[in-house]
Amino acid sequence: MMDFGREMKQHREYNGLSQSKLAQLTGVKQQSISYWENNLMEPSIANCILLADFYGISIDELVGHEVKPVKEDIQNKT
């Protein structure tokens, strides 16, 4: 399973933000950010979109997901 929290924390720290500052800038509760980063809860799709847009990255980048071409996946299953 992917470690969403670690990825989200890395993006926040890379941008030099505390949890409190990120909360202030995005309107997300600091407690929610803490829960996500500690893998106690997963963010909603809406919050993933909000954070990805805030950082100027894709949701895949936000959560550390590597996109594989569909054609390659299909070929490996046959």
Side-chain angles (χ1 to χ4, degrees):
M1 186 170 162
M2 298 173 64
D3 188 345
F4 297 127
R6 181 177 48 85
E7 293 293 331
M8 295 179 87
K9 183 177 181 178
Q10 285 179 346
H11 288 291
R12 179 180 56 75
E13 290 179 340
Y14 176 80
N15 284 280
L17 299 170
S18 65
Q19 287 182 353
S20 296
K21 188 63 175 179
L22 179 60
Q24 178 186 8
L25 294 171
T26 61
V28 173
K29 292 181 182 179
Q30 185 270 328
Q31 184 177 22
S32 295
I33 295 166
S34 176
Y35 285 165
W36 302 336
E37 290 184 2
N38 288 294
N39 292 309
L40 299 174
M41 290 176 42
E42 292 182 356
S44 67
I45 295 295
N47 281 319
C48 286
I49 292 169
L50 174 77
L51 291 173
D53 286 349
F54 176 79
Y55 292 129
I57 60 176
S58 69
I59 293 175
D60 288 315
E61 290 174 289
L62 179 71
V63 299
H65 178 254
E66 183 180 332
V67 179
K68 297 177 186 174
V70 175
K71 185 175 183 180
E72 183 178 308
D73 286 344
I74 293 170
Q75 290 174 348
N76 289 334
K77 290 179 183 180
T78 57

